Amino acid sequence: MSWLLGALVFWAVAWGLNAWLAQSRWHRLWPVRLFVPLLFGITILVLWEGVVRGFDIKQVILPAPSLVAQTFANSTDILWVDFQQTVLKGALSGFLIGTTAAFLAAILIDRSSFLTRGLLPIGNFVAALPIVGTAPILVSWFGFDWHSKAAVVVVMVFFPILVNTVQGLRETDQMQRDLMRTYAAGYLTTLTKLRLPAAMPFIFNGLKIATTLALIGAIVAEYFGSPTRGMGFRISTGVGSLSIDLVWAEIFVAALVGSGFYGAVALLERSVTFWHPSQRGQT
């Protein structure tokens, strides 16, 4: 039980340090803002290690973080192949295709009241369909390689981006659009100079939602058919062979990639929408 006791002591000290930093005058500095969640994450890992070792939990039920780290270090070749198959081929390609198609469709919907009344309700219906229902169909259509995973991702990210973009394009009021017309601005000029900049917070909201959906969609789609590589395939076979440490290593890679993807979009949002009230006062 010494491991558990040590982990609890570390957790208490780290909790107190984080609470003090959050209330200190330095809490807005970026090194402190980075250190607080990092320390919180380390605290969870230490507590996890202490619970597993203190209660002697079997590794096939819950492996210790040290074992997961060892497996990660010894399986970098497998993890890299799975990363390429799931993230670079399936998730990223599907995200780019879905984002581009959703943006173009939003422009068409904005120009057509018929599409507004016809496509958006269908979009809401399709967005509500469970992935476990659509993924097997798309796998049977596009095959077992990454193309079917990209198709699943396209379906998952298309409608959140579409709905947010259409809503953002309607954000400007009538007075602003009338002012552009007094300057003899056409639709394209009004779109690029007024409506798209005003829609950027909504567009980035859809993009941030899509970053998480893209990776989830690619991994889940691999459960319904995949070549002998991919993160979803490895998780499925790892659970079946009781290689739970490898499963947790794949989960760690997925969490790392998802967080990095979301963070990259959030940083891009801050640089593009620096004028928006939600971005003011951030350091």
Side-chain angles (χ1 to χ4, degrees):
M1 298 294 289
S2 59
W3 274 93
L4 180 58
L5 181 60
L8 290 175
V9 171
F10 180 84
W11 172 82
V13 173
W15 183 281
L17 179 59
N18 265 353
W20 177 76
L21 287 174
Q23 298 175 3
S24 68
R25 59 180 179 178
W26 306 294
H27 72 281
R28 289 187 176 275
L29 299 178
W30 72 264
V32 177
R33 295 173 62 183
L34 179 64
F35 176 76
V36 169
L38 183 62
L39 180 60
F40 185 82
I42 294 174
T43 303
I44 294 177
L45 293 178
V46 172
L47 191 60
W48 178 359
E49 184 84 23
V51 168
V52 171
R53 292 180 179 270
F55 291 102
D56 195 22
I57 300 176
K58 294 183 181 299
Q59 300 296 335
V60 294
I61 298 177
L62 182 64
S66 57
L67 179 60
V68 175
Q70 182 181 353
T71 303
F72 180 91
N74 295 334
S75 308
T76 52
D77 53 341
I78 297 176
L79 296 173
W80 173 246
V81 171
D82 294 342
F83 171 82
Q84 289 179 303
Q85 177 71 16
T86 302
V87 178
L88 298 183
K89 293 181 179 180
L92 187 58
S93 60
F95 178 83
L96 294 176
I97 295 172
T99 299
T100 304
F103 182 78
L104 295 177
I107 300 298
L108 293 176
I109 288 176
D110 182 66
R111 294 285 286 171
S112 171
S113 59
F114 169 75
L115 291 178
T116 302
R117 296 186 180 94
L119 185 57
L120 282 182
I122 296 177
N124 294 328
F125 172 77
V126 174
L129 294 177
I131 184 176
V132 294
T134 56
I137 298 174
L138 293 174
V139 169
S140 66
W141 286 355
F142 295 96
F144 293 102
D145 209 348
W146 63 269
H147 308 85
S148 58
K149 316 318 179 278
V152 172
V153 173
V154 169
V155 172
M156 291 191 68
V157 307
F158 179 84
F159 292 104
I161 297 176
L162 174 67
V163 171
N164 278 276
T165 303
V166 171
Q167 182 63 36
L169 291 174
R170 298 172 179 172
E171 182 67 9
T172 55
D173 55 37
Q174 188 63 42
M175 183 178 296
Q176 292 172 319
R177 294 192 291 270
D178 290 342
L179 180 61
M180 294 296 293
R181 278 193 288 269
T182 62
Y183 294 141
Y187 174 79
L188 185 60
T189 303
T190 304
L191 179 68
T192 56
K193 299 294 185 181
L194 173 64
R195 304 185 68 197
L196 272 181
M200 280 302 163
F202 292 85
I203 295 175
F204 275 104
N205 184 53
L207 289 174
K208 287 188 291 187
I209 295 173
T211 56
T212 55
L213 292 178
L215 191 58
I216 293 173
I219 292 176
V220 172
E222 289 178 344
Y223 277 76
F224 299 96
S226 175
T228 57
R229 57 189 180 274
M231 300 172 71
F233 167 81
R234 200 73 59 189
I235 292 173
S236 178
T237 57
V239 171
S241 61
L242 298 181
S243 302
I244 308 301
D245 51 342
L246 182 58
V247 171
W248 277 101
E250 293 281 1
I251 293 174
F252 173 75
V253 173
L256 198 63
V257 171
S259 300
F261 199 5
Y262 184 93
V265 173
L267 286 176
L268 182 61
E269 178 186 21
R270 289 186 60 182
S271 62
V272 173
T273 63
F274 59 90
W275 49 269
H276 196 262
S278 64
Q279 304 296 333
R280 294 174 188 169
Q282 297 189 19
T283 57

